[in-house]
Amino acid sequence: KNNVKAMEKEVVTCSLQGKEKAALKRSQIFQILGVKDLETKVIVVLGKAGMGKSILVQKICQDWSNGEFPQFEFVFWFDCKQISLPEKRYSLKDLLLEFFIKPQEGSKEIFEYILQNPAKVLLVFDGFEGLHDHENFPRCSASQPEKGLYSIKELLSGLIQKKILNGCTLLLTARPKDKVYQYVSKVDKTIEIVGFSPQQRELYITRYFEGLPYCDNALKLIKECEYLFSHCYSPVMCRFVCFLCETVLEMGNKSLPSTLTAVFLKFVQQKIIPVQTDVTAVQNQESLATLARIAWYLGEKHQSAMKSYLIPSKEVKEFALKYGFFLPFAFPRHSDSGEEEFGSTFSDFVIQNFLGALHLMLAEDIKDKSLTKYLSFPSKKKKPYNWLDLVPRFLAGLLFLQDDPYFCSLSNKDVKQSTKKQKTLLKYIRRMQINELCVERLLELLHCIYETQSNYLLQHVALRLKPDLSFLGVVLTPPDVHVLLSVFKKSRKEFSLDLRNSSIDMQGLKDLAGLKNVASFRASLGDTVRLWKSLEQTKDYELLRVSTEKFVLDPFKAKTMKDVSDLSDLVEMQEKMINCEPDASGRSSYEIPAIKNLRKLEFALGPVCGLQGFLKLVEILAAFPSLQHLDLDALSENGIGDEGAKSLSEVFPTLTSLETLNLSQNKITDVGAEKLATALPSLSSLKTLSLYNNSICDFGAENLAKVLPAMASLRVLDVQYNKITGVGAQQLTDSLRKCPHIKNLVMWNPTIPYGVLEHLQQLDSRISV
């Protein structure tokens, strides 16, 4: 079963801007394009707690020991929890050859070889969040940094700044919300572990129960409990659910708990109860309460490990180790004695969170009214307990489990007291301005309410949700989607959702798009097209039709080549739909409304891919009959040039609805202006044309002047910051006299003498200086 944990997870790489994502194989992790071999390479692996970052690192080390990644002769792997003691100072040699592994002989020669061959060294720092807590990351300022003694933060800072071992490869793992980029000036590659897909969850569960008589029943039982199955996207949660399912089936039961709180209460119960006698029951209860207190106070300090002498009693330590709440943990050797110090660490971040919530319930010194401050639903984005981010969910769940006999035996409190705390929570949620919460806090609230299994609370929130909910840039996990579905189903409102850049999986997108009261949705174009192709393959034509009707594309901004390709795929899909033959399975011919309704299209690929992407875009522009605004003005300048202008002018006759055309800052010269001018009169609806900051001279101005009278719909022409002189300006002014329909001509150019422009403005007040 332990081998199951090392199963392949889908690894996703994304640029720092989050623009492009692609699946990545483990063998590709260290492939970085465009980085000099002699420079330090920094790779960051992101993933929520329990996603398998440490397992991935261990697998990389194992693969290296078996001959993979031959570019590295040395691999050093550090657990940041172990090396982050504030009082501990290291030299680089100590860190590599004393703390990590001590060679039997030749330490000096090995270290010299490492210094001379940094490109052959991989340094892995696992759990970067364990290093920085709330302090600033120091800078390494020593003249000979390889020889001095430093804190681990200073050493790591020197490695990142390329002052120490320049040319090595650094692999850092961290949680997504950790401010890793504040401390790492340049990241060459970002990798995100996104967990198990639904198929991988099924594979994990099947492998876990392989060879057991109830293998098929286990998978069926877990899948029936959709909320728990959604949590199985996280490998660590999947393991807990499987363990509990195994226990339930062995006892002959046929149902699983419906919430995470009930799962972990059952987990604790199954660990302790079977081996407990009446004599030990009270002892265990006391030990669990002490352990819960330790979990909370360590978590508040962003820690999960503690030295043995700090554990209150031998009985508590033995209890925690015996039942798997603690694991032994070795702290670094003390600089004076050279001896290792031993302690314990919580076996799992979820266990620590659950025990932390249990402490808040059991502690006598925490009053009913003060409980709500630990729920962290402020409307501001700052979250006080990110290390214990599951505590609010477990706390809410425990408040509604006061009737559970096992929980009652733990708390030793009467039901009245628990009911009082429950009423405090109800009152708190009733007073909340739910429609003012940012979506991150809203999701947290929905998870907490789901844990209570209170229909009243679910209904209360459902009635107060805003109809327009934007999850733009907020990661939506499978459990997030599940709680959203549960609250939407309770509401009579119609919702409009923005799911772009939310990393929502295909199943989640399918479920939300299929809800009757989701009236419209926006999502990543690539994900949406993939969903539709999948629905087509499975012949789910009704959901395909419904989701295409709800999909919103307007306005659309193309920022990468992938955006243009996705838009092209959408147009291609519509052509297939229009030309398909209706059949008995429900297939019919229809258009995609989002294409018909696209009114504004922005293009911002920048100078590298600008022309290439634009030529591809031009091929499909005719497919958007309602396009009113085409904007090619980008901060990074697309630079489509004369070739792009020529290509665009050829499709002008098809753009019958176009009212605004912005071609500013695109390196268009007289050649491009001539091509545009020839075709401009075919834009029968054009009101605004901007050619600001190009390279158009008098010849281009002359060609534009010739066609202005034929452009009856035009109201504004902007030719500022070009290379037009007084000659071109005069030609445009002469043409303007024949164009009473034009309201404004903006043509300040540094090459037009000021007196000339002022004179022309006096002749025609529609000219702007």
Side-chain angles (χ1 to χ4, degrees):
K1 288 174 191 173
N2 287 336
N3 293 335
V4 177
K5 289 195 285 179
M7 240 173 60
E8 287 283 320
K9 279 171 286 296
E10 186 179 2
V11 178
V12 165
T13 176
C14 54
S15 71
L16 292 184
Q17 291 78 19
K19 288 180 181 174
E20 304 239 19
K21 292 189 176 184
L24 187 76
K25 293 178 181 173
R26 209 168 49 245
S27 58
Q28 298 172 305
I29 286 174
F30 300 105
Q31 293 173 9
I32 304 173
L33 300 174
V35 179
K36 295 175 185 175
D37 290 341
L38 299 176
E39 282 191 358
T40 294
K41 290 170 274 296
V42 181
I43 300 166
V44 173
V45 176
L46 298 176
K48 289 188 171 184
M51 274 296 163
K53 300 182 295 294
S54 298
I55 293 288
L56 175 65
V57 164
Q58 290 169 35
K59 191 73 175 78
I60 288 169
C61 293
Q62 186 186 47
D63 289 348
W64 172 77
S65 70
N66 291 329
E68 292 186 43
F69 311 117
Q71 67 268 41
F72 303 121
E73 287 187 26
F74 297 91
V75 174
F76 298 95
W77 169 38
F78 302 101
D79 180 344
C80 291
K81 282 200 303 254
Q82 288 187 307
I83 59 175
S84 61
L85 294 179
E87 72 274 9
K88 184 69 179 163
R89 300 182 75 75
Y90 308 87
S91 68
L92 181 64
K93 185 182 175 185
D94 287 344
L95 185 69
L96 301 183
L97 302 179
E98 292 288 333
F99 175 75
F100 181 73
I101 188 166
K102 190 169 185 177
Q104 290 182 337
E105 55 185 30
S107 289
K108 185 180 177 184
E109 291 79 7
I110 292 170
F111 186 60
E112 284 300 321
Y113 182 82
I114 287 170
L115 292 180
Q116 290 164 18
N117 298 275
K120 297 178 180 179
V121 179
L122 169 63
L123 298 171
V124 181
F125 291 89
D126 187 19
F128 189 74
E129 67 274 359
L131 289 179
H132 54 74
D133 45 60
H134 299 295
E135 297 174 28
N136 291 324
F137 218 62
R139 297 187 71 80
C140 182
S141 55
S143 55
Q144 289 185 302
E146 278 90 357
K147 295 182 180 178
L149 288 173
Y150 308 97
S151 71
I152 189 61
K153 291 184 182 181
E154 288 169 330
L155 260 181
L156 189 49
S157 180
L159 289 163
I160 292 165
Q161 293 166 36
K162 304 174 187 176
K163 291 182 178 179
I164 300 177
L165 214 58
N166 186 21
C168 69
T169 299
L170 287 176
L171 180 67
L172 313 174
T173 75
R175 296 180 188 178
K177 286 187 180 177
D178 290 314
K179 300 173 183 176
V180 64
Y181 298 119
Q182 285 187 14
Y183 308 105
V184 183
S185 54
K186 179 177 175 284
V187 173
D188 299 295
K189 193 171 196 172
T190 303
I191 296 163
E192 185 177 0
I193 300 182
V194 297
F196 292 149
S197 67
Q199 295 77 20
Q200 288 169 326
R201 288 179 234 166
E202 289 190 27
L203 179 59
Y204 184 106
I205 295 163
T206 306
R207 292 250 186 104
Y208 186 99
F209 291 99
E210 206 165 33
L212 296 174
Y214 39 76
C215 179
D216 293 338
N217 288 345
L219 180 59
K220 184 171 177 284
L221 190 61
I222 293 171
K223 285 185 75 175
E224 280 173 358
C225 191
E226 291 177 9
Y227 183 57
L228 294 189
F229 185 63
S230 75
H231 272 288
C232 287
Y233 91 102
S234 163
V236 73
M237 289 292 199
C238 201
R239 183 160 48 89
F240 276 117
V241 171
C242 286
F243 168 82
L244 188 64
C245 183
E246 186 179 11
T247 309
V248 163
L249 289 170
E250 280 176 355
M251 292 172 68
N253 295 339
K254 292 185 179 177
S255 64
L256 286 171
S258 54
T259 66
L260 276 190
T261 312
V263 163
F264 280 88
L265 190 62
K266 195 90 173 168
F267 174 81
V268 171
Q269 185 180 355
Q270 293 306 324
K271 284 274 187 183
I272 299 171
I273 294 287
V275 289
Q276 158 173 297
T277 63
D278 292 341
V279 179
T280 58
V282 176
Q283 266 186 345
N284 286 348
Q285 190 178 310
E286 290 171 357
S287 295
L288 192 63
T290 306
L291 198 58
R293 189 173 73 248
I294 293 169
W296 174 253
Y297 287 113
L298 278 181
E300 279 197 305
K301 292 190 280 187
H302 291 201
Q303 293 172 4
S304 59
M306 67 190 305
K307 294 178 181 178
S308 292
Y309 69 84
L310 293 172
I311 298 172
S313 71
K314 185 183 173 185
E315 289 77 23
V316 171
K317 182 183 174 182
E318 285 177 355
F319 168 83
L321 289 168
K322 179 179 178 181
Y323 296 117
F325 300 122
F326 267 176
L327 291 174
F329 186 80
F331 286 92
R333 293 181 182 87
H334 199 276
S335 50
D336 299 330
S337 64
E339 291 179 6
E340 274 189 314
E341 286 188 73
F342 290 97
S344 301
T345 182
F346 280 96
S347 57
D348 200 272
F349 86 100
V350 194
I351 288 291
Q352 187 176 357
N353 273 256
F354 179 75
L355 291 173
L358 194 60
H359 166 70
L360 296 176
M361 286 294 293
L362 301 180
E364 298 287 346
D365 55 334
I366 295 176
K367 305 299 178 191
D368 303 340
K369 288 182 181 178
S370 65
L371 265 185
T372 53
K373 77 177 181 182
Y374 302 111
L375 291 168
S376 68
F377 306 130
S379 54
K380 294 177 184 177
K381 289 198 174 187
K382 190 178 178 185
K383 192 171 181 181
Y385 297 111
N386 66 327
W387 190 263
L388 295 166
D389 56 3
L390 291 177
V391 164
R393 302 180 194 184
F394 286 135
L395 179 57
L398 288 171
L399 283 168
F400 277 75
L401 277 175
Q402 79 267 18
D403 294 331
D404 184 281
Y406 180 63
F407 180 62
C408 288
S409 73
L410 282 180
S411 62
N412 248 352
K413 292 179 180 177
D414 58 27
V415 175
K416 277 186 183 177
Q417 220 171 345
S418 296
T419 308
K420 204 174 170 188
K421 288 188 174 183
Q422 190 188 104
K423 284 179 180 175
T424 304
L425 176 67
L426 286 166
K427 193 174 177 182
Y428 175 63
I429 291 174
R430 279 202 299 266
R431 284 180 174 177
M432 285 174 67
Q433 298 295 316
I434 290 163
N435 58 354
E436 291 180 12
L437 292 177
C438 67
V439 288
E440 292 96 334
R441 296 291 76 76
L442 176 64
L443 283 171
E444 189 57 45
L445 173 64
L446 294 182
H447 276 289
C448 290
I449 288 173
Y450 193 91
E451 287 296 318
T452 68
Q453 289 290 284
S454 164
N455 280 322
Y456 164 76
L457 282 178
L458 209 57
Q459 192 78 48
H460 175 83
V461 174
L463 291 169
R464 286 157 181 79
L465 286 180
K466 290 185 291 188
D468 296 322
L469 289 170
S470 174
F471 298 94
L472 178 65
V474 176
V475 174
L476 285 177
T477 64
D480 293 335
V481 173
H482 185 90
V483 296
L484 279 173
L485 286 166
S486 66
V487 76
F488 288 157
K489 286 173 183 175
K490 290 277 183 186
S491 178
R492 294 174 186 171
K493 288 181 187 174
E494 285 198 337
F495 293 98
S496 176
L497 307 179
D498 189 346
L499 306 170
R500 289 173 296 168
N501 200 22
S502 66
S503 302
I504 189 169
D505 65 10
M506 193 187 291
Q507 186 61 47
L509 185 57
K510 178 182 174 181
D511 291 341
L512 286 172
L515 272 185
K516 285 184 180 178
N517 58 341
V518 170
S520 66
F521 74 95
R522 297 198 68 153
S524 152
L525 193 48
D527 291 346
T528 307
V529 171
R530 267 195 301 279
L531 170 65
W532 291 344
K533 285 179 178 176
S534 166
L535 293 173
E536 203 171 34
Q537 285 170 359
T538 56
K539 298 191 175 181
D540 193 345
Y541 296 120
E542 178 56 25
L543 184 52
L544 177 60
R545 184 187 60 77
V546 167
S547 59
T548 52
E549 286 175 359
K550 293 179 179 183
F551 181 62
V552 176
L553 186 62
D554 182 59
F556 183 74
K557 186 170 186 175
K559 295 190 281 187
T560 66
M561 281 297 292
K562 187 176 182 301
D563 291 336
V564 179
S565 297
D566 290 341
L567 199 59
S568 186
D569 287 346
L570 183 69
V571 170
E572 187 184 327
M573 189 162 191
Q574 171 165 272
E575 287 169 5
K576 284 182 184 174
M577 286 179 169
I578 291 171
N579 298 322
C580 79
E581 293 292 328
D583 60 27
S585 64
R587 192 178 185 184
S588 59
S589 167
Y590 58 90
E591 292 182 3
I592 298 172
I595 291 179
K596 186 181 176 182
N597 298 329
L598 181 65
R599 287 175 170 77
K600 183 175 181 181
L601 177 55
E602 293 180 71
F603 181 86
L605 264 67
V608 178
C609 302
L611 177 59
Q612 180 193 355
F614 186 66
L615 294 177
K616 189 175 173 71
L617 179 68
V618 165
E619 293 173 9
I620 58 169
L621 281 178
F624 306 105
S626 303
L627 187 64
Q628 295 177 348
H629 190 151
L630 181 58
D631 190 348
L632 274 75
D633 184 9
L635 285 173
S636 54
E637 298 191 13
N638 294 304
I640 65 164
D642 295 333
E643 188 180 346
K646 176 179 179 291
S647 181
L648 177 62
S649 66
E650 290 168 0
V651 299
F652 276 173
T654 65
L655 304 178
T656 53
S657 300
L658 194 66
E659 295 180 357
T660 302
L661 177 58
N662 189 346
L663 296 173
S664 301
Q665 308 190 101
N666 270 291
K667 297 185 168 62
I668 297 169
T669 71
D670 283 347
V671 177
E674 183 183 15
K675 295 292 181 186
L676 289 169
T678 308
L680 278 169
S682 63
L683 291 174
S684 56
S685 302
L686 191 67
K687 292 179 181 177
T688 303
L689 172 63
S690 177
L691 291 161
Y692 168 90
N693 197 17
N694 280 287
S695 300
I696 299 168
C697 303
D698 290 339
F699 180 69
E702 181 186 348
N703 281 299
L704 288 169
K706 284 177 186 175
V707 298
L708 284 183
M711 298 173 68
S713 61
L714 191 69
R715 298 293 178 267
V716 178
L717 173 64
D718 186 348
V719 288
Q720 280 188 101
Y721 284 94
N722 278 277
K723 296 179 180 178
I724 299 168
T725 69
V727 176
Q730 184 66 58
Q731 289 172 319
L732 285 166
T733 306
D734 293 343
S735 178
L736 193 59
R737 289 178 191 152
K738 304 168 194 172
C739 306
H741 53 276
I742 293 179
K743 294 181 177 177
N744 194 8
L745 172 60
V746 189
M747 65 171 179
W748 185 91
N749 275 256
T751 44
I752 302 174
Y754 183 74
V756 172
L757 195 58
E758 197 174 37
H759 170 68
L760 295 175
Q761 190 186 25
Q762 287 170 357
L763 293 176
D764 197 322
S765 62
R766 292 174 293 170
I767 295 172
S768 296
V769 178

